[in-house]
Amino acid sequence: MTQTPRTTPTLGMLATYLRLQIGRVLLLAVVLLGGIGLQLLGPQILRRFIDSVTAHGAAPPLASLWVLAGLFLAAAAAAQVARVAASWLSEQVGWAATNRLRHDLADHTLHLDLAFHNARTPGELIERLDGDVTALAGFFSEFVIQILGGALLIAGIVALLFAQDWRIGAALGALALAAVLVLRVTRNLSVADVALERQSRSDLTGFLEERVGGLDDIRANGGGGHVMRGLGAITQVLNARSVRAGQVGRAVWVLTAAIFVTSALTALSLGVFLFQRGQVSLGAVYLFVQYTAMMRDPLNQIGTQLQDVQRA
């Protein structure tokens, strides 16, 4: 028998519906960890290649350079395969969980009293049960990859930078922590605006469903102009709320972009400084810059997903 949905924290809802697919979730975790390891391995191989080429003394054996090049290409190809596999698995998990949630919500709604259904149009209910739940598909399918995967990748990058040089690791670790704190503080900024936007979309769907159903009566009574004016008012409100929600979301993106630029400048400046003092190799400088660049996508993805979690 289907259980009636309860009001639970978002992560609790995630755990409830993912628990039914524990096999796929575990396989997704293995693929995700493997992909992260391969992403971290690539720059290490290139660093060894650069140091081999720029080392003082005799030129390195050409065979060793070919081996390093082959290892890098193999690691890059394997990382792409792992990414595709993780995306496929996450979509399978996400849509299965979403369909289960849609079924539970429909069952719950059908058992509500008549007063509830009299207060809401069929179009609004369809938008809520299908449109809103479809919006959750990305939350179910991408939460593991974008948030957990991104957090693990950033932690791995900071740990490897610490192992290379504690000053670089400390500086970029502090900037990564600052970015996460900014995302945490700003994650709720757009929630109210998105809630209003979703309400406007359900109002529009309900309006259209009722007017299309009564199209013959509207024509017979000459109510076309009145209906069009009502449609214009609803779409005007929806447009204003959509623009507002988008503006707030972009403001958060600007903050994370500023932190990333600061991180890139920090990594390059410290790398050049340490290289000039002979404390790190040219390959290590490349490693600093490349790992810093790799932090940008996870930070952006975590920011987007944190907002989506709150909206969900």
Side-chain angles (χ1 to χ4, degrees):
M1 180 177 178
T2 304
Q3 293 181 350
T4 300
R6 297 173 300 173
T7 302
T8 58
T10 306
L11 294 181
M13 179 180 66
L14 178 69
T16 298
Y17 286 95
L18 292 188
R19 192 180 299 117
L20 302 174
Q21 307 179 70
I22 187 64
R24 285 180 179 176
V25 173
L26 291 176
L27 180 58
L28 175 59
V30 172
V31 174
L32 182 63
L33 291 174
I36 291 173
L38 291 169
Q39 290 182 65
L40 296 174
L41 178 62
Q44 294 285 347
I45 297 174
L46 279 183
R47 176 229 175 154
R48 182 71 62 86
F49 186 95
I50 294 172
D51 287 343
S52 298
V53 172
T54 58
H56 297 290
L62 188 59
S64 65
L65 297 181
W66 277 109
V67 170
L68 290 173
L71 288 175
F72 174 77
L73 292 176
Q80 290 300 318
V81 171
R83 180 174 298 178
V84 171
S87 297
W88 181 81
L89 284 170
S90 67
E91 288 296 327
Q92 294 292 317
V93 170
W95 280 104
T98 302
N99 289 336
R100 177 73 182 187
L101 175 60
R102 186 180 288 109
H103 176 273
D104 288 349
L105 287 175
D107 180 78
H108 172 71
T109 302
L110 291 174
H111 285 83
L112 294 175
D113 56 23
L114 188 60
F116 172 85
H117 291 277
N118 288 335
R120 291 165 177 81
T121 64
E124 180 182 357
L125 293 179
I126 292 173
E127 177 64 22
R128 290 300 191 183
L129 294 178
D130 184 59
D132 284 4
V133 174
T134 299
L136 290 175
F139 164 66
F140 279 112
S141 63
E142 298 179 2
F143 178 84
V144 173
I145 288 183
Q146 305 292 9
I147 291 188
L148 297 183
L152 289 174
L153 179 59
I154 292 174
I157 289 173
V158 173
L160 289 174
L161 290 175
F162 258 108
Q164 179 63 41
D165 188 280
W166 69 269
R167 289 162 290 192
I168 290 287
L172 294 183
L175 288 171
L177 180 60
V180 172
L181 291 176
V182 168
L183 293 174
R184 182 177 178 83
V185 171
T186 59
R187 64 180 178 174
N188 293 324
L189 290 180
S190 63
V191 174
D193 295 301
V194 173
L196 292 173
E197 179 192 3
R198 296 302 308 171
Q199 179 62 49
S200 294
R201 290 189 183 279
S202 66
D203 292 342
L204 176 61
T205 304
F207 181 90
L208 291 175
E209 184 273 335
E210 282 197 330
R211 271 60 183 182
V212 171
L215 189 58
D216 292 337
D217 293 334
I218 293 173
R219 287 174 176 173
N221 291 281
H226 174 73
V227 170
M228 293 305 297
R229 285 190 295 272
L231 177 63
I234 292 177
T235 54
Q236 184 177 8
V237 172
L238 173 60
N239 180 67
R241 290 176 174 178
S242 299
V243 170
R244 170 64 182 174
Q247 289 174 339
V248 175
R250 284 191 292 272
V252 176
W253 180 86
V254 170
L255 289 175
T256 57
I259 294 176
F260 169 75
V261 170
T262 303
S263 301
L265 290 175
T266 300
L268 183 60
S269 300
L270 283 176
V272 171
F273 173 75
L274 295 174
F275 175 74
Q276 290 177 339
R277 298 185 63 179
Q279 297 181 1
V280 297
S281 64
L282 185 60
V285 176
Y286 161 80
L287 195 69
F288 299 157
V289 176
Q290 181 63 22
Y291 274 158
T292 304
M294 289 173 60
M295 293 173 64
R296 179 173 188 172
D297 286 343
L299 287 174
N300 287 336
Q301 292 165 357
I302 289 174
T304 300
Q305 288 301 310
L306 283 177
Q307 291 185 51
D308 289 345
V309 166
Q310 295 305 311
R311 296 172 184 177

PDB file of all heavy atoms in Angstrom, residues 275-295:
ATOM      1  N   PHE A 275      58.460  29.281  -7.482  1.00  0.00           N
ATOM      2  CA  PHE A 275      59.322  28.811  -8.568  1.00  0.00           C
ATOM      3  C   PHE A 275      60.574  29.678  -8.680  1.00  0.00           C
ATOM      4  O   PHE A 275      61.691  29.166  -8.891  1.00  0.00           O
ATOM      5  CB  PHE A 275      58.537  28.824  -9.880  1.00  0.00           C
ATOM      6  CG  PHE A 275      59.362  28.467 -11.079  1.00  0.00           C
ATOM      7  CD1 PHE A 275      59.751  27.150 -11.308  1.00  0.00           C
ATOM      8  CD2 PHE A 275      59.769  29.448 -11.979  1.00  0.00           C
ATOM      9  CE1 PHE A 275      60.515  26.823 -12.417  1.00  0.00           C
ATOM     10  CE2 PHE A 275      60.525  29.132 -13.084  1.00  0.00           C
ATOM     11  CZ  PHE A 275      60.909  27.817 -13.307  1.00  0.00           C
ATOM     12  N   GLN A 276      60.393  30.985  -8.552  1.00  0.00           N
ATOM     13  CA  GLN A 276      61.552  31.884  -8.631  1.00  0.00           C
ATOM     14  C   GLN A 276      62.535  31.660  -7.485  1.00  0.00           C
ATOM     15  O   GLN A 276      63.739  31.864  -7.645  1.00  0.00           O
ATOM     16  CB  GLN A 276      61.070  33.341  -8.642  1.00  0.00           C
ATOM     17  CG  GLN A 276      60.372  33.747  -9.928  1.00  0.00           C
ATOM     18  CD  GLN A 276      59.850  35.174  -9.884  1.00  0.00           C
ATOM     19  OE1 GLN A 276      59.650  35.747  -8.809  1.00  0.00           O
ATOM     20  NE2 GLN A 276      59.613  35.759 -11.059  1.00  0.00           N
ATOM     21  N   ARG A 277      62.014  31.203  -6.360  1.00  0.00           N
ATOM     22  CA  ARG A 277      62.894  30.897  -5.225  1.00  0.00           C
ATOM     23  C   ARG A 277      63.434  29.474  -5.276  1.00  0.00           C
ATOM     24  O   ARG A 277      64.162  29.059  -4.372  1.00  0.00           O
ATOM     25  CB  ARG A 277      62.128  31.109  -3.920  1.00  0.00           C
ATOM     26  CG  ARG A 277      61.659  32.552  -3.724  1.00  0.00           C
ATOM     27  CD  ARG A 277      61.018  32.742  -2.376  1.00  0.00           C
ATOM     28  NE  ARG A 277      61.941  32.500  -1.280  1.00  0.00           N
ATOM     29  CZ  ARG A 277      61.640  32.622   0.013  1.00  0.00           C
ATOM     30  NH1 ARG A 277      60.394  32.985   0.348  1.00  0.00           N
ATOM     31  NH2 ARG A 277      62.515  32.378   0.951  1.00  0.00           N
ATOM     32  N   GLY A 278      63.091  28.745  -6.307  1.00  0.00           N
ATOM     33  CA  GLY A 278      63.589  27.393  -6.471  1.00  0.00           C
ATOM     34  C   GLY A 278      62.972  26.376  -5.536  1.00  0.00           C
ATOM     35  O   GLY A 278      63.531  25.295  -5.338  1.00  0.00           O
ATOM     36  N   GLN A 279      61.809  26.682  -4.971  1.00  0.00           N
ATOM     37  CA  GLN A 279      61.181  25.769  -4.014  1.00  0.00           C
ATOM     38  C   GLN A 279      60.199  24.796  -4.668  1.00  0.00           C
ATOM     39  O   GLN A 279      59.833  23.791  -4.055  1.00  0.00           O
ATOM     40  CB  GLN A 279      60.466  26.581  -2.927  1.00  0.00           C
ATOM     41  CG  GLN A 279      61.418  27.441  -2.103  1.00  0.00           C
ATOM     42  CD  GLN A 279      60.692  28.215  -1.012  1.00  0.00           C
ATOM     43  OE1 GLN A 279      59.495  28.102  -0.857  1.00  0.00           O
ATOM     44  NE2 GLN A 279      61.436  29.019  -0.250  1.00  0.00           N
ATOM     45  N   VAL A 280      59.765  25.098  -5.871  1.00  0.00           N
ATOM     46  CA  VAL A 280      58.892  24.186  -6.613  1.00  0.00           C
ATOM     47  C   VAL A 280      59.347  24.149  -8.056  1.00  0.00           C
ATOM     48  O   VAL A 280      60.053  25.051  -8.535  1.00  0.00           O
ATOM     49  CB  VAL A 280      57.400  24.617  -6.539  1.00  0.00           C
ATOM     50  CG1 VAL A 280      56.883  24.583  -5.118  1.00  0.00           C
ATOM     51  CG2 VAL A 280      57.202  25.988  -7.166  1.00  0.00           C
ATOM     52  N   SER A 281      58.942  23.125  -8.758  1.00  0.00           N
ATOM     53  CA  SER A 281      59.300  22.983 -10.166  1.00  0.00           C
ATOM     54  C   SER A 281      58.250  23.649 -11.049  1.00  0.00           C
ATOM     55  O   SER A 281      57.174  24.050 -10.582  1.00  0.00           O
ATOM     56  CB  SER A 281      59.413  21.503 -10.536  1.00  0.00           C
ATOM     57  OG  SER A 281      58.141  20.872 -10.390  1.00  0.00           O
ATOM     58  N   LEU A 282      58.579  23.758 -12.347  1.00  0.00           N
ATOM     59  CA  LEU A 282      57.619  24.337 -13.286  1.00  0.00           C
ATOM     60  C   LEU A 282      56.371  23.463 -13.389  1.00  0.00           C
ATOM     61  O   LEU A 282      55.252  23.969 -13.517  1.00  0.00           O
ATOM     62  CB  LEU A 282      58.274  24.482 -14.667  1.00  0.00           C
ATOM     63  CG  LEU A 282      57.435  25.177 -15.744  1.00  0.00           C
ATOM     64  CD1 LEU A 282      57.091  26.602 -15.318  1.00  0.00           C
ATOM     65  CD2 LEU A 282      58.178  25.176 -17.074  1.00  0.00           C
ATOM     66  N   GLY A 283      56.570  22.155 -13.309  1.00  0.00           N
ATOM     67  CA  GLY A 283      55.420  21.256 -13.326  1.00  0.00           C
ATOM     68  C   GLY A 283      54.503  21.469 -12.140  1.00  0.00           C
ATOM     69  O   GLY A 283      53.282  21.349 -12.258  1.00  0.00           O
ATOM     70  N   ALA A 284      55.082  21.802 -10.981  1.00  0.00           N
ATOM     71  CA  ALA A 284      54.266  22.065  -9.800  1.00  0.00           C
ATOM     72  C   ALA A 284      53.442  23.333  -9.978  1.00  0.00           C
ATOM     73  O   ALA A 284      52.287  23.405  -9.547  1.00  0.00           O
ATOM     74  CB  ALA A 284      55.147  22.179  -8.565  1.00  0.00           C
ATOM     75  N   VAL A 285      54.025  24.347 -10.634  1.00  0.00           N
ATOM     76  CA  VAL A 285      53.281  25.581 -10.904  1.00  0.00           C
ATOM     77  C   VAL A 285      52.077  25.267 -11.792  1.00  0.00           C
ATOM     78  O   VAL A 285      50.958  25.752 -11.561  1.00  0.00           O
ATOM     79  CB  VAL A 285      54.184  26.639 -11.564  1.00  0.00           C
ATOM     80  CG1 VAL A 285      53.370  27.882 -11.921  1.00  0.00           C
ATOM     81  CG2 VAL A 285      55.331  27.014 -10.640  1.00  0.00           C
ATOM     82  N   TYR A 286      52.321  24.459 -12.817  1.00  0.00           N
ATOM     83  CA  TYR A 286      51.200  24.040 -13.661  1.00  0.00           C
ATOM     84  C   TYR A 286      50.143  23.317 -12.837  1.00  0.00           C
ATOM     85  O   TYR A 286      48.936  23.522 -13.028  1.00  0.00           O
ATOM     86  CB  TYR A 286      51.702  23.125 -14.782  1.00  0.00           C
ATOM     87  CG  TYR A 286      50.599  22.309 -15.407  1.00  0.00           C
ATOM     88  CD1 TYR A 286      49.750  22.869 -16.355  1.00  0.00           C
ATOM     89  CD2 TYR A 286      50.379  20.988 -15.021  1.00  0.00           C
ATOM     90  CE1 TYR A 286      48.715  22.141 -16.906  1.00  0.00           C
ATOM     91  CE2 TYR A 286      49.343  20.246 -15.563  1.00  0.00           C
ATOM     92  CZ  TYR A 286      48.507  20.824 -16.510  1.00  0.00           C
ATOM     93  OH  TYR A 286      47.486  20.094 -17.039  1.00  0.00           O
ATOM     94  N   LEU A 287      50.591  22.461 -11.922  1.00  0.00           N
ATOM     95  CA  LEU A 287      49.664  21.702 -11.084  1.00  0.00           C
ATOM     96  C   LEU A 287      48.796  22.637 -10.256  1.00  0.00           C
ATOM     97  O   LEU A 287      47.577  22.436 -10.129  1.00  0.00           O
ATOM     98  CB  LEU A 287      50.455  20.761 -10.178  1.00  0.00           C
ATOM     99  CG  LEU A 287      49.672  19.640  -9.494  1.00  0.00           C
ATOM    100  CD1 LEU A 287      49.200  18.619 -10.521  1.00  0.00           C
ATOM    101  CD2 LEU A 287      50.546  18.963  -8.443  1.00  0.00           C
ATOM    102  N   PHE A 288      49.416  23.678  -9.672  1.00  0.00           N
ATOM    103  CA  PHE A 288      48.653  24.642  -8.867  1.00  0.00           C
ATOM    104  C   PHE A 288      47.553  25.292  -9.704  1.00  0.00           C
ATOM    105  O   PHE A 288      46.390  25.374  -9.283  1.00  0.00           O
ATOM    106  CB  PHE A 288      49.577  25.721  -8.314  1.00  0.00           C
ATOM    107  CG  PHE A 288      50.667  25.202  -7.417  1.00  0.00           C
ATOM    108  CD1 PHE A 288      51.836  25.929  -7.230  1.00  0.00           C
ATOM    109  CD2 PHE A 288      50.546  23.984  -6.773  1.00  0.00           C
ATOM    110  CE1 PHE A 288      52.846  25.463  -6.407  1.00  0.00           C
ATOM    111  CE2 PHE A 288      51.543  23.509  -5.944  1.00  0.00           C
ATOM    112  CZ  PHE A 288      52.702  24.247  -5.774  1.00  0.00           C
ATOM    113  N   VAL A 289      47.934  25.778 -10.887  1.00  0.00           N
ATOM    114  CA  VAL A 289      46.985  26.508 -11.730  1.00  0.00           C
ATOM    115  C   VAL A 289      45.884  25.576 -12.238  1.00  0.00           C
ATOM    116  O   VAL A 289      44.698  25.925 -12.244  1.00  0.00           O
ATOM    117  CB  VAL A 289      47.727  27.176 -12.902  1.00  0.00           C
ATOM    118  CG1 VAL A 289      46.738  27.857 -13.850  1.00  0.00           C
ATOM    119  CG2 VAL A 289      48.737  28.201 -12.380  1.00  0.00           C
ATOM    120  N   GLN A 290      46.275  24.371 -12.657  1.00  0.00           N
ATOM    121  CA  GLN A 290      45.291  23.440 -13.205  1.00  0.00           C
ATOM    122  C   GLN A 290      44.305  22.975 -12.149  1.00  0.00           C
ATOM    123  O   GLN A 290      43.083  22.920 -12.398  1.00  0.00           O
ATOM    124  CB  GLN A 290      46.013  22.231 -13.810  1.00  0.00           C
ATOM    125  CG  GLN A 290      45.091  21.202 -14.437  1.00  0.00           C
ATOM    126  CD  GLN A 290      44.298  21.741 -15.612  1.00  0.00           C
ATOM    127  OE1 GLN A 290      44.695  22.732 -16.234  1.00  0.00           O
ATOM    128  NE2 GLN A 290      43.171  21.120 -15.910  1.00  0.00           N
ATOM    129  N   TYR A 291      44.789  22.655 -10.967  1.00  0.00           N
ATOM    130  CA  TYR A 291      43.882  22.231  -9.903  1.00  0.00           C
ATOM    131  C   TYR A 291      42.932  23.365  -9.498  1.00  0.00           C
ATOM    132  O   TYR A 291      41.764  23.123  -9.175  1.00  0.00           O
ATOM    133  CB  TYR A 291      44.675  21.750  -8.693  1.00  0.00           C
ATOM    134  CG  TYR A 291      45.077  20.295  -8.753  1.00  0.00           C
ATOM    135  CD1 TYR A 291      46.140  19.809  -8.011  1.00  0.00           C
ATOM    136  CD2 TYR A 291      44.372  19.401  -9.542  1.00  0.00           C
ATOM    137  CE1 TYR A 291      46.505  18.469  -8.055  1.00  0.00           C
ATOM    138  CE2 TYR A 291      44.727  18.062  -9.604  1.00  0.00           C
ATOM    139  CZ  TYR A 291      45.792  17.599  -8.858  1.00  0.00           C
ATOM    140  OH  TYR A 291      46.133  16.282  -8.910  1.00  0.00           O
ATOM    141  N   THR A 292      43.445  24.588  -9.495  1.00  0.00           N
ATOM    142  CA  THR A 292      42.575  25.726  -9.182  1.00  0.00           C
ATOM    143  C   THR A 292      41.482  25.870 -10.226  1.00  0.00           C
ATOM    144  O   THR A 292      40.314  26.123  -9.894  1.00  0.00           O
ATOM    145  CB  THR A 292      43.397  27.011  -9.095  1.00  0.00           C
ATOM    146  OG1 THR A 292      44.436  26.861  -8.129  1.00  0.00           O
ATOM    147  CG2 THR A 292      42.523  28.190  -8.687  1.00  0.00           C
ATOM    148  N   ALA A 293      41.848  25.714 -11.512  1.00  0.00           N
ATOM    149  CA  ALA A 293      40.848  25.795 -12.575  1.00  0.00           C
ATOM    150  C   ALA A 293      39.804  24.693 -12.435  1.00  0.00           C
ATOM    151  O   ALA A 293      38.621  24.906 -12.740  1.00  0.00           O
ATOM    152  CB  ALA A 293      41.535  25.708 -13.937  1.00  0.00           C
ATOM    153  N   MET A 294      40.232  23.529 -11.959  1.00  0.00           N
ATOM    154  CA  MET A 294      39.302  22.409 -11.800  1.00  0.00           C
ATOM    155  C   MET A 294      38.291  22.652 -10.682  1.00  0.00           C
ATOM    156  O   MET A 294      37.257  21.973 -10.619  1.00  0.00           O
ATOM    157  CB  MET A 294      40.078  21.121 -11.511  1.00  0.00           C
ATOM    158  CG  MET A 294      40.845  20.592 -12.711  1.00  0.00           C
ATOM    159  SD  MET A 294      41.904  19.184 -12.272  1.00  0.00           S
ATOM    160  CE  MET A 294      40.685  18.009 -11.645  1.00  0.00           C
ATOM    161  N   MET A 295      38.558  23.600  -9.800  1.00  0.00           N
ATOM    162  CA  MET A 295      37.642  23.872  -8.699  1.00  0.00           C
ATOM    163  C   MET A 295      36.449  24.717  -9.118  1.00  0.00           C
ATOM    164  O   MET A 295      35.442  24.774  -8.407  1.00  0.00           O
ATOM    165  CB  MET A 295      38.386  24.577  -7.555  1.00  0.00           C
ATOM    166  CG  MET A 295      39.430  23.720  -6.863  1.00  0.00           C
ATOM    167  SD  MET A 295      40.421  24.662  -5.672  1.00  0.00           S
ATOM    168  CE  MET A 295      39.174  25.131  -4.489  1.00  0.00           C
TER     169      MET A 295
END
